[in-house]
Amino acid sequence: MDSHSLVPATALLSLPIAQMRSVFQPQDVERRLAKLPEREHEHLRSTYQRMLERGPERFQVKPCGVPEMASLYEQLPNFGDVLDDVRRHVALAQDSRDGLEVTPMLLLGPPGIGKTHFARKLAELLGTGMTLVPMNAMTAGWLLSGASSQWKGSRPGKVFEALVDGQYANPVIVVDEIDKAGTDAQYDPLGALYNLLEHDTAQSFVDEFAEVAIDASQVIWITTANDERGIPDPILNRMNVFEIDLPSPEEARRIARNLYASIRAAHDWGRLLAPEPADDVIDLLGSMAPREMRRALMTGFGNARLARRDAIRVEDLPRPAGGGRGRIGFVQ
């Protein structure tokens, strides 16, 4: 009997396979460090020293089989097409020495429908880390690619930090609200993506602060947007675009039930509350955008406990602003 026969098949599928991958060449770092003036660029010097101390090897992980994703289809019913695409990429990486390669994706849809939540769930599924890069109100071109060490207060970009300071060679990086990236005449916050979203050029991505080539070719890119018109065509052409709709009324009720159960299970106080919500509570939650359901439920749980009840009632929940599905905000 081999050792695998002692582990249930479902457990095997949940364990990621990891191999090591170098995300930079130490000799490049040593060369840059040797050229630094002795009494200048202390931040850059400490960055190089940290890189050499940690070494270049990072985990490159992938599921050891095409994972059972029924729970994700249940939790995220309006993301079926995206989940199908992820399963195809995972299947391609099975039974081979290849790493998991996922085509960069754009999740396009109205705010509050769970795009960022989906990204977190995907990172959990794949067994890798996640870095969130919010682009709204960000005008600095160095957010992704770093700022030159010649500038006061300069620092590495988010890609460098995720790969050098993180544990994984293939983290999920979410560029949130990419259509809201501010631009001015001097900086382009999205400029780095032209190279980062192309597998070949991402293999030798150079952060402007460290000026050392980093292998970002294994990064799993997820971008989100409300409107594709604010995204340059060359970037759109580098991604698979998925239009995410608001969930149907039945899907919204299913999301509400799953969210109720997950919040209750995640807190010790959940044992004091009923295992199932009432149908009228689910109906009201189902009229809200998914983002607002969690906030509404937390309000409802709190009001129920203040009243010394174990069940949430409709009157415990805030009313959606405007009274319509998909509207953001509450009237207390």
Side-chain angles (χ1 to χ4, degrees):
M1 179 184 296
D2 63 34
S3 60
H4 285 181
S5 65
L6 301 177
V7 183
T10 53
L12 283 174
L13 286 179
S14 67
L15 297 174
I17 296 173
Q19 58 188 22
M20 303 306 291
R21 185 182 181 96
S22 293
V23 296
F24 62 86
Q25 297 299 318
Q27 58 267 31
D28 294 344
V29 181
E30 291 167 351
R31 251 191 320 267
R32 297 294 307 180
L33 182 58
K35 291 180 180 179
L36 281 182
E38 289 187 8
R39 297 185 180 181
E40 297 180 24
H41 304 293
E42 286 306 312
H43 187 192
L44 185 56
R45 182 185 305 280
S46 66
T47 297
Y48 290 150
Q49 290 171 341
R50 187 174 74 252
M51 292 175 74
L52 294 173
E53 287 170 4
R54 289 206 62 197
E57 300 291 307
R58 300 292 181 272
F59 292 113
Q60 182 178 3
V61 298
K62 65 180 179 182
C64 69
V66 179
E68 174 53 55
M69 294 167 60
S71 63
L72 279 183
Y73 282 96
E74 180 72 18
Q75 294 171 39
L76 302 161
N78 50 331
F79 286 81
D81 289 344
V82 196
L83 291 170
D84 289 345
D85 191 56
V86 171
R87 292 183 77 239
R88 284 190 287 269
H89 285 94
V90 172
L92 285 172
Q94 299 313 300
D95 304 317
S96 75
R97 293 187 298 273
D98 293 341
L100 175 63
E101 186 176 332
V102 178
T103 303
M105 63 178 71
L106 169 64
L107 307 181
L108 185 65
I113 59 173
K115 299 187 292 289
T116 307
H117 177 67
F118 166 83
R120 294 187 188 281
K121 289 295 183 181
L122 179 60
E124 291 174 10
L125 173 76
L126 301 179
T128 187
M130 185 188 117
T131 294
L132 181 66
V133 185
M135 298 303 292
N136 57 324
M138 294 289 185
T139 59
W142 49 261
L143 187 63
L144 287 167
S145 61
S148 170
S149 59
Q150 304 299 320
W151 293 92
K152 182 179 180 180
S154 61
R155 57 178 296 172
K158 295 292 186 179
V159 178
F160 180 95
E161 290 178 348
L163 292 168
V164 173
D165 296 329
Q167 302 179 59
Y168 302 99
N170 60 336
V172 173
I173 297 184
V174 181
V175 183
D176 201 29
E177 295 190 299
I178 189 174
D179 54 327
K180 302 287 177 55
T183 57
D184 59 32
Q186 191 172 5
Y187 298 113
D188 179 5
L190 303 181
L193 288 178
Y194 290 93
N195 289 329
L196 286 167
L197 296 181
E198 290 281 5
H199 185 271
D200 291 344
T201 53
Q203 288 180 327
S204 55
F205 169 72
V206 177
D207 181 272
E208 291 186 26
F209 175 80
E211 296 186 305
V212 173
I214 300 294
D215 183 359
S217 64
Q218 303 303 301
V219 170
I220 298 168
W221 289 97
I222 301 177
T223 66
T224 75
N226 301 332
D227 189 341
E228 66 180 349
R229 289 174 295 181
I231 306 171
D233 285 341
I235 290 179
L236 276 176
N237 294 338
R238 286 164 164 79
M239 300 185 289
N240 286 341
V241 179
F242 297 94
E243 295 192 16
I244 311 298
D245 296 322
L246 282 168
S248 68
E250 183 52 44
E251 289 173 341
R253 285 191 287 270
R254 198 188 319 160
I255 291 170
R257 287 188 186 279
N258 286 325
L259 192 55
Y260 179 100
S262 67
I263 293 175
R264 180 178 176 273
H267 296 86
D268 181 61
W269 47 254
R271 62 187 169 79
L272 304 173
L273 292 152
E276 294 288 338
D279 287 343
D280 58 347
V281 169
I282 289 299
D283 288 341
L284 179 56
L285 290 168
S287 70
M288 303 173 186
R291 175 191 293 167
E292 307 309 318
M293 289 183 191
R294 175 176 291 275
R295 290 164 51 196
L297 276 167
M298 292 302 293
T299 298
F301 283 135
N303 284 334
R305 291 307 301 150
L306 282 173
R308 298 291 181 180
R309 285 186 270 103
D310 67 351
I312 294 178
R313 297 177 181 173
V314 166
E315 56 266 28
D316 294 327
L317 299 172
R319 289 175 289 119
R325 283 187 74 240
R327 296 294 299 270
I328 302 303
F330 293 126
V331 178
Q332 297 286 357

